[in-house]
Amino acid sequence: MDRSAVAARIGTEGIVLGGGNPIDPDPQVYNSLHSSVIGSGTYNNPGQYRNAEVDAALDRARQELDPAKRAEFYRQAQRAYVADPGLVYLAFVDHSYVMRDGGWNGYQPPVEPHTHGTTWGPWWNIEDWTPAA
C-alpha cells in the first residue's frame, strides 16, 4: 500500500507512523497523541486517541519556556500515556549515513529515529559546517 491509500483505510487497518525529533518531542508527539488534532490530517492522531491528562501535559509543555519544566511536562505526558497507551510501535528504523571524510568540519552525528528532510538527518547542524582545509 502506498502512502496515498492510507487516508481511506486509516479507520480499519494498521498504518506505519514515521517521524520523530529527539531534540524537541513536540512536533512528533503533539500531532500523534493530542485529541485536538483528530480529523485535521491523515497522520495527525490517526488512532483518534483521547486522554485528558496527556492533552493537558502536552499543552503545558508546548507553552513552557523553561527547558527543565518543559521536560517534566513531557515526562508527565509520557507517564499518562504509558498508563493508557493508544498505539503499538512495531519497529523503529535506524539510519546510517555515509559522508566523505575530510570534506567538512563541524559535523556532529545525530541520534535520529526516523525523520527525513533538510531540517534533520545528517545535516541538522549544516549551518555550523565549514569547508575542511
Side-chain angles (χ1 to χ4, degrees):
M1 172 168 64
D2 76 4
R3 193 174 183 101
S4 65
V6 171
R9 300 165 74 176
I10 202 164
T12 59
E13 298 182 33
I15 65 163
V16 173
L17 176 65
N21 186 332
I23 292 174
D24 188 345
D26 188 78
Q28 177 70 28
V29 73
Y30 197 92
N31 284 341
S32 295
L33 298 179
H34 201 282
S35 64
S36 70
V37 302
I38 293 172
S40 65
T42 301
Y43 299 99
N44 293 340
N45 196 345
Q48 299 182 13
Y49 179 75
R50 294 176 195 277
N51 181 309
E53 190 176 347
V54 171
D55 284 355
L58 292 176
D59 286 336
R60 288 191 300 266
R62 181 170 261 196
Q63 296 167 6
E64 180 58 57
L65 297 178
D66 179 272
K69 291 177 184 175
R70 194 166 188 253
E72 179 52 36
F73 288 133
Y74 282 117
R75 283 192 290 275
Q76 287 176 13
Q78 185 174 3
R79 286 190 295 269
Y81 183 79
V82 166
D84 179 32
L87 297 169
V88 176
Y89 291 91
L90 302 176
F92 290 90
V93 180
D94 289 328
H95 294 282
S96 296
Y97 295 100
V98 178
M99 184 175 217
R100 182 179 298 151
D101 192 30
W104 296 95
N105 295 320
Y107 170 72
Q108 297 174 13
V111 176
E112 186 220 352
H114 187 82
T115 297
H116 304 280
T118 57
T119 60
W120 198 240
W123 35 83
W124 71 274
N125 73 331
I126 197 166
E127 70 277 2
D128 297 328
W129 295 12
T130 58

